[in-house]
Amino acid sequence: QVQLVESGGGVVQPGRSLRLSCAASGFTFSSYGMHWVRQAPGKGLEWVAVIWYDGSNKYYADSVKGRFTISRDNSKNTLYLQMNSLRAEDTAVYYCARDPEDIVVVPSAWFDPWGQGTLVTVSS
Amino acid sequence: QSVLTQPPSASGTPGQRVTISCSGSSSNIGSNYVYWYQQLPGTAPKLLIYRNNQRPSGVPDRFSGSKSGTSASLAISGLRSEDEADYYCAAWDDSLSGSVFGTGTKVTVL
């Protein structure tokens, strides 16, 4: 079955970096766009970034633009989120999610399925 | 920050119908599909409605979605205790070049 498993979360000091990974299985990873979505403790959902199935296009939320980089390795069926210059307000559970339409070139807010999430805590 | 506005809470007794609104603008709901997600306590969100009013397989037909202009709504009929959850609408925003979520609505079954 389609499965997404995030890893790489933890406690990090403000200003430092962290890289999250999302291992995909059960589908042809290289055919699907992928997203990162986060949720601060007790708060709502916030979309973070999207990458096209082939890595040709990437879009970011204004809150992370210039600090976070989304990437993928289709040979390893893995999605990444490189997070630099971390701030306290980046503390959240980070979910990876798939766009369920294959070879999509028109972006949408269609996320299915989602991973279980990985917690990132930015604190000194 | 959330660009789509939802009521913070909604409630009903078992069997009742509950409706959740989602208000946006011409750059998001007005020009793109709307999606709805259900988040049960302590779990990851789950797709509930896609492309305004389509239900994925496995989602009960008690859940229905609609869209008109720059607003959308989710209706839950025949409310059940297991429907207690947070519900979020989402859409792509052409001006922001990104997806946006609603503020979220907590549904309580009385």
Side-chain angles (χ1 to χ4, degrees):
Chain A
Q1 74 282 18
V2 176
Q3 191 171 15
L4 300 171
V5 179
E6 302 93 337
S7 61
V11 180
V12 60
Q13 294 179 326
R16 303 297 290 265
S17 299
L18 201 64
R19 189 178 82 158
L20 304 183
S21 298
C22 169
S25 60
F27 65 101
T28 305
F29 180 70
S30 59
S31 295
Y32 294 86
M34 296 293 297
H35 298 260
W36 287 100
V37 177
R38 69 183 181 182
Q39 186 170 35
K43 303 296 184 182
L45 300 172
E46 179 187 17
W47 175 81
V48 173
V50 61
I51 184 168
W52 257 227
Y53 67 98
D54 58 356
S56 60
N57 277 302
K58 305 171 186 180
Y59 293 100
Y60 298 90
D62 287 344
S63 58
V64 307
K65 202 172 294 182
R67 300 187 300 123
F68 289 12
T69 301
I70 188 172
S71 63
R72 64 192 298 158
D73 186 334
N74 285 345
S75 68
K76 295 183 178 179
N77 292 342
T78 303
L79 173 73
Y80 302 101
L81 185 67
Q82 178 66 43
M83 304 185 295
N84 299 332
S85 303
L86 282 162
R87 307 166 179 168
E89 53 264 37
D90 295 319
T91 294
V93 173
Y94 285 73
Y95 298 100
C96 64
R98 186 189 71 165
D99 182 324
E101 278 197 302
D102 60 348
I103 318 295
V104 166
V105 293
V106 178
S108 75
W110 196 355
F111 314 117
D112 184 43
W114 299 58
Q116 86 289 350
T118 187
L119 176 62
V120 173
T121 302
V122 183
S123 173
S124 54
Chain B
Q1 99 225 27
S2 297
V3 173
L4 307 181
T5 303
Q6 299 177 230
S9 63
S11 62
T13 57
Q16 278 191 327
R17 176 184 171 93
V18 167
T19 301
I20 300 168
S21 61
C22 175
S23 177
S25 67
S26 58
S27 64
N28 42 65
I29 293 178
S31 52
N32 293 292
Y33 287 120
V34 177
Y35 300 81
W36 289 91
Y37 298 90
Q38 177 193 59
Q39 187 174 32
L40 297 169
T43 69
K46 168 193 155 186
L47 178 69
L48 201 61
I49 296 288
Y50 66 98
R51 289 184 173 175
N52 301 336
N53 55 19
Q54 303 299 302
R55 277 187 312 276
S57 60
V59 173
D61 59 5
R62 303 184 293 104
F63 295 92
S64 62
S66 64
K67 171 184 148 176
S68 178
T70 60
S71 293
S73 63
L74 173 72
I76 311 173
S77 59
L79 195 64
R80 303 178 66 157
S81 58
E82 56 259 42
D83 298 333
E84 276 209 345
D86 293 323
Y87 293 84
Y88 296 90
C89 58
W92 182 263
D93 190 296
D94 293 331
S95 295
L96 297 175
S97 292
S99 290
V100 290
F101 281 98
T103 47
T105 299
K106 184 176 183 60
V107 169
T108 302
V109 181
L110 302 170

